[in-house]
Amino acid sequence: MRITPSILARQAVAHINQNADAINESLERLGTGRRIRRASDDPTGTVLALRLQSDIALTDGDRRRVEQALPYLQAMDAALNQAIAILQRARELVLQASNDSLTTDQRKAIAEEMTTLRDEFLQVANTRVGDRYLFSGTAILTKPFVANLAGDVVYQGDGNQMKVTLSNDEQVPITLAGNAVFQSGEDVFAVLKDAINAMKAGDGETLRANLLPRLDASIQQILNTAASLGAQANRSERTVDTLLLQKQSFQLALSPVLDADVAEEVATYQLRQTTLQATLFAASRILPLSLVDFMA
Amino acid sequence: MALSVALQAALQSLLAHQAAIATAAHNTANAQNPNYSRQIAKLQAALPIPEPSLRDGMSFGQLGTGVTVGEIIRQFDALLADSLRIADGRVGYHETLVNGLERVEALMGEPSDSGIAALMTEFFEAWRNLSANPENMGARALVLERARTLLSRFNALQSQLAHEQDLSLRQMQEEVNALNRALAQVARLNEQIAASKAAGLQPNDLMDERDAVLRDIARLLPIQVSEQPNGSVMVLAGGHELVSANRFRSVKLAFDNNGKPIVVLEDTGDAIPLGEGVLAALQEFTSEVVNRLREKLQRLLDALANTINGLHQSGFGLDGTTGDPFFVLISGQWQVNPSLLNDPRRLAASQTGAVGDGTVAAAIARLMDKPLADLDGQTVSAFYRNLVGDLAARTNGTQNALTAFSEARRFLQDRRDAVSGVSIDEEMVDLMRFQQAYIAAARVLQVVDNLVSDLLTNLVR
């Protein structure tokens, strides 16, 4: 083949460009720290990266929300345990009061303590975290239990539960429907009211035969709720750990897709630089060669 | 007799080598002209004359009369020129398409922390956050703010893409104008070439110029070039005659029924098939790439807005309002319902109307990964990811094709230069050869002159 200077020049320019382009790419990757600078660098990797980035964001959001839910679960747990303690004290008082040999003054004193316990119980049932009542279902800003003039406690909330939804549709309840806890099966407030009335009336028989079993049933009812709530709290605490692990594994998967391998880039950069230098050297030696220089 | 023939031969040699040196000088001068084809002065022996001899009488002579330049040959390979034209069209097509695709890719800006994918995730996150905090005004404001950010990104992208379409249509118009100018130029060159050929001349440089113009045309759209016996060329595009002898037909930009830009003949209105070339790339970029992308984005946004509206209208705001759409169409663009922006309590997060109920907000948050019939059963996020992935794959494929076709064209250019290119060293060698021949002819002249003067001096004495 006839080789003309323009063929040599074209060849030299093409190779210089190729190497300069590769160096430019390496530099850009090193500068941005990213393997994928534009979607077309790696179409499949881009789709994967978008998926993983969104997964990481969702996992982060879920973890934040479960962490926000945990105080509610803990507060509900504490409130229910306090309610059980109050009812257990009430049971002792009912037992004491059912003794027929008590004096009227003694009964009155017991009835007074019982009244205090009922008020305490009402307070516990109206526990709030921040602005939210824990036992009014989804009517979180409404005080759930209010005593009317007749001394009956009326439920103001609704029968639903406020729930935190995670991205995998798992739901963590952060309130309870108070009527289901305190007024289904046994109406605990009615039990307490009846007990006070029976104490005042000195009706030991009713206290023994009627109120004691009802009080036991009330305690059992709240214990059941507390147990399932405790299980939920444990589960949610584990969920936080799981979500943290998940995020880490997503990040581990994302890194090789999106992040530049610095060591590899530096090696490529150096290799290409050497090649470019060689090309430039060859071009500078060969291109100026001409017969013209040797003609007298 | 023979002496005057020798004198004549020497003179012929001087003239012929002057022409050869001039040709070499012309070649050297055009060594860096990419469209130039090397010319060679074809030296051939001049017509011999009959020499009378006693033995053979006036038989047709063997006495040479020197050298003449038969013709100035243009080193040219028509097949290579054809291949180069096709290669130019392919490279032009892929180059223009890659340019456009890379611009669109930059507009999409994926993967990044600020692209639509990230904004969409943040938008749905805000809904999920609202579902856990439905009574919180901050959570409501966040949903509205992120909805506005997402919409403004969508709307900005749409208008940028529309701008891209405008730009490439304008470029297409300019290329069509350039095509018309080039066609006129070919017709004019045809006329000049035919005229000088008819006069027995060799219009090499005009032919180079015409080949350059033909390559410019072939970059825009594929053409078939056939040379006529009188030296002019006929240019056809998809069976339509564009240039014949000194006549050409101009073309113009038009739009077909689907609004797709096409190139038609001005006289008959017939559409010219664009094949692979810059015009085809611009056509494809506006009507296929950008248009389809815009349609898909609109489809995504419509599906998103309609589905969210359906859920939102079923829910209740903090103030008990219901039936409000979340997104409304204002002059053809989706916007966040202004009445929600005025009063975020109207945002319907609740299914029951209870303050602590975030069921509707949770359902909207779940939309991100819920297959929608409007999106052919794809989820919102998958639909967008695939859209980005398809565009990236297209760009990547076109880039690779461009590299391959550029390499192929470089190879063809090297082949062309091997035939038609000027090697300065070669011309220098030629110059030395012709110089020697010229000096030799001059020497011959001197010898003959000496002989004649010897003869005359001796005779006179």
Side-chain angles (χ1 to χ4, degrees):
Chain A
M1 189 165 138
R2 273 181 81 237
I3 300 295
T4 67
S6 55
I7 296 179
L8 286 177
R10 191 176 298 126
Q11 192 87 350
V13 169
H15 288 137
I16 289 168
N17 276 345
Q18 266 172 18
N19 284 307
D21 196 40
I23 286 175
N24 181 42
E25 270 183 31
S26 270
L27 258 184
E28 218 178 322
R29 287 194 178 134
L30 282 172
T32 57
R34 285 201 152 183
R35 196 178 72 84
I36 300 178
R37 300 152 302 148
R38 280 173 282 278
S40 56
D41 286 349
D42 181 356
T44 330
T46 301
V47 174
L48 187 63
L50 288 178
R51 160 106 245 178
L52 288 170
Q53 277 174 335
S54 129
D55 283 346
I56 289 173
L58 291 182
T59 314
D60 250 355
D62 282 349
R63 187 176 49 81
R64 252 196 331 272
R65 274 184 294 277
V66 178
E67 279 174 351
Q68 279 168 10
L70 281 176
Y72 291 88
L73 293 172
Q74 284 154 0
M76 278 192 283
D77 197 39
L80 290 178
N81 283 329
Q82 211 185 335
I84 290 165
I86 291 171
L87 292 183
Q88 271 161 351
R89 175 66 187 150
R91 190 178 186 277
E92 283 168 23
L93 292 179
V94 168
L95 267 180
Q96 271 181 33
S98 65
N99 190 340
D100 292 331
S101 61
L102 288 179
T103 64
T104 320
D105 281 352
Q106 281 172 322
R107 266 202 214 98
K108 212 177 135 193
I110 293 173
E112 260 167 33
E113 191 182 345
M114 197 67 181
T115 312
T116 322
L117 282 183
R118 193 203 60 186
D119 292 347
E120 256 180 63
F121 193 85
L122 188 62
Q123 259 178 26
V124 168
N126 283 335
T127 305
R128 285 203 292 186
V129 170
D131 290 335
R132 291 174 177 171
Y133 289 99
L134 293 180
F135 297 109
S136 58
T138 55
I140 50 173
L141 301 181
T142 311
K143 198 174 192 175
F145 294 103
V146 178
N148 62 13
L149 285 174
D152 292 321
V153 172
V154 183
Y155 181 59
Q156 315 270 333
D158 62 28
N160 299 320
Q161 277 185 296
M162 184 175 181
K163 285 167 183 160
V164 167
T165 313
L166 305 187
S167 57
N168 60 1
D169 281 356
E170 196 186 313
Q171 292 186 320
V172 181
I174 58 169
T175 66
L176 287 168
N179 56 354
V181 182
F182 301 118
Q183 290 180 320
S184 80
E186 285 298 338
D187 181 343
V188 182
F189 297 103
V191 172
L192 291 174
K193 186 191 165 199
D194 290 351
I196 293 166
N197 287 341
M199 282 170 185
K200 281 180 180 161
D203 188 350
E205 179 57 30
T206 309
L207 285 173
R208 265 193 309 275
N210 179 335
L211 289 168
L212 212 52
R214 282 172 68 194
L215 209 47
D216 284 339
S218 300
I219 292 173
Q220 194 54 48
Q221 184 179 315
I222 295 176
L223 267 175
N224 288 344
T225 311
S228 79
L229 194 72
Q232 176 67 58
N234 280 338
R235 210 163 45 237
S236 296
E237 271 165 25
R238 277 201 305 276
T239 306
V240 171
D241 294 339
T242 314
L243 287 170
L244 270 176
L245 279 177
Q246 250 177 31
K247 185 188 170 187
Q248 277 172 7
S249 72
F250 286 149
Q251 278 172 332
L252 276 179
L254 181 61
S255 177
V257 179
L258 208 53
D259 295 342
D261 183 338
V262 176
E264 193 190 314
E265 290 305 330
V266 170
T268 314
Y269 179 82
Q270 282 170 345
L271 184 69
R272 286 295 187 162
Q273 204 180 26
T274 314
T275 321
L276 179 62
Q277 275 170 356
T279 316
L280 290 174
F281 177 78
S284 70
R285 286 301 159 98
I286 292 168
L287 288 183
L289 275 188
S290 169
L291 186 56
V292 181
D293 299 329
F294 301 96
M295 286 167 71
Chain B
M1 183 68 183
L3 269 188
S4 71
V5 171
L7 206 58
Q8 181 62 23
L11 178 64
Q12 290 273 21
S13 174
L14 280 182
L15 293 175
H17 287 106
Q18 266 176 19
I21 285 169
T23 310
H26 188 46
N27 283 342
T28 312
N30 280 291
Q32 305 302 334
N33 175 352
N35 298 316
Y36 181 75
S37 302
R38 187 165 66 109
Q39 298 175 11
I40 294 176
K42 188 181 169 197
L43 296 175
Q44 61 186 49
L47 212 59
I49 55 163
E51 196 198 12
S53 94
L54 289 172
R55 190 154 48 85
D56 297 326
M58 286 290 281
S59 67
F60 196 71
Q62 293 308 313
L63 192 57
T65 56
V67 68
T68 59
V69 172
E71 58 176 326
I72 310 277
I73 302 171
R74 174 168 173 255
Q75 297 294 100
F76 180 74
D77 184 335
L79 206 65
L80 271 179
D82 244 358
S83 310
L84 260 177
R85 277 195 289 268
I86 295 171
D88 276 341
R90 286 212 176 112
V91 171
Y93 170 81
H94 287 97
E95 214 166 44
T96 312
L97 208 52
V98 163
N99 261 333
L101 285 167
E102 283 180 349
R103 283 200 306 275
V104 170
E105 192 175 62
L107 288 179
M108 305 277 290
E110 301 286 4
S112 79
D113 302 331
S114 54
I116 283 183
L119 291 181
M120 217 144 57
T121 308
E122 283 182 2
F123 171 67
F124 285 113
E125 259 296 299
W127 279 105
R128 201 163 274 124
N129 184 47
L130 176 64
S131 85
N133 303 284
E135 86 284 17
N136 187 320
M137 292 308 279
R140 287 170 179 267
L142 192 68
V143 167
L144 292 168
E145 190 47 45
R146 293 212 169 143
R148 275 167 44 155
T149 313
L150 181 63
L151 278 183
S152 78
R153 190 79 172 75
F154 259 110
N155 291 337
L157 185 58
Q158 283 286 16
S159 69
Q160 281 164 329
L161 288 173
H163 184 62
E164 278 298 328
Q165 272 180 312
D166 270 5
L167 280 182
S168 32
L169 272 184
R170 213 173 301 163
Q171 194 191 340
M172 204 165 167
Q173 181 62 60
E174 272 164 26
E175 301 290 9
V176 166
N177 295 345
L179 176 59
N180 280 333
R181 283 195 299 275
L183 291 174
Q185 217 175 338
V186 172
R188 183 175 54 76
L189 285 164
N190 264 349
E191 191 178 7
Q192 291 172 350
I193 288 167
S196 59
K197 279 217 164 173
L201 300 171
Q202 192 70 33
N204 288 335
D205 297 326
L206 289 177
M207 288 164 83
D208 281 344
E209 193 184 339
R210 189 176 61 188
D211 276 323
V213 179
L214 287 174
R215 275 185 72 175
D216 285 346
I217 295 176
R219 210 176 75 84
L220 299 177
L221 84 170
I223 49 172
Q224 295 86 46
V225 178
S226 51
E227 187 155 357
Q228 307 296 310
N230 70 349
S232 69
V233 291
M234 178 134 90
V235 179
L236 295 168
H240 298 283
E241 199 180 284
L242 292 183
V243 183
S244 168
N246 60 354
R247 285 171 290 112
F248 76 98
R249 292 159 87 188
S250 43
V251 295
K252 64 175 182 186
L253 191 64
F255 294 90
D256 74 357
N257 295 334
N258 303 323
K260 179 171 154 182
I262 50 173
V263 177
V264 298
L265 285 168
E266 212 155 66
D267 47 8
T268 62
D270 288 339
I272 297 174
L274 293 182
E276 275 194 335
V278 170
L279 286 172
L282 290 171
Q283 181 191 52
E284 190 171 337
F285 181 67
T286 42
S287 65
E288 300 287 317
V289 177
V290 180
N291 222 27
R292 197 165 296 169
L293 183 61
R294 289 187 63 191
E295 277 170 13
K296 279 191 176 174
L297 284 171
Q298 195 57 46
R299 211 169 128 208
L300 175 62
L301 193 54
D302 285 347
L304 195 66
N306 288 327
T307 323
I308 289 181
N309 277 352
L311 284 167
H312 189 263
Q313 280 170 321
S314 75
F316 291 87
L318 277 183
D319 57 356
T321 49
T322 182
D324 275 343
F326 185 77
F327 291 113
V328 286
L329 270 174
I330 297 175
S331 56
Q333 272 194 348
W334 287 111
Q335 303 283 356
V336 178
N337 189 348
S339 77
L340 300 181
L341 291 171
N342 286 338
D343 185 0
R345 284 178 305 166
R346 295 172 73 97
L347 197 59
S350 163
Q351 196 172 39
T352 58
V355 277
D357 181 52
T359 314
V360 169
I364 290 177
R366 214 171 299 144
L367 279 181
M368 181 170 170
D369 286 307
K370 194 178 160 195
L372 296 181
D374 286 354
L375 301 177
D376 306 329
Q378 294 186 73
T379 70
V380 170
S381 50
F383 187 85
Y384 179 74
R385 276 198 299 272
N386 290 341
L387 184 147
V388 171
D390 287 350
L391 186 72
R394 182 78 208 271
T395 310
N396 184 278
T398 316
Q399 280 167 342
N400 290 342
L402 174 61
T403 314
F405 286 127
S406 302
E407 273 303 294
R409 182 176 63 168
R410 196 162 67 82
F411 171 77
L412 283 173
Q413 273 174 329
D414 284 354
R415 301 302 307 184
R416 181 214 167 267
D417 282 355
V419 176
S420 305
V422 175
S423 160
I424 289 178
D425 292 341
E426 199 176 327
E427 300 305 326
M428 290 304 122
V429 172
D430 280 353
L431 270 180
M432 288 192 263
R433 275 169 46 211
F434 299 143
Q435 189 185 14
Q436 278 172 358
Y438 188 85
I439 293 169
R443 183 72 69 185
V444 171
L445 214 55
Q446 196 186 7
V447 169
V448 175
D449 182 46
N450 284 345
L451 290 178
V452 172
S453 71
D454 277 356
L455 193 62
L456 288 177
T457 328
N458 292 335
L459 276 179
V460 168
R461 195 170 39 169

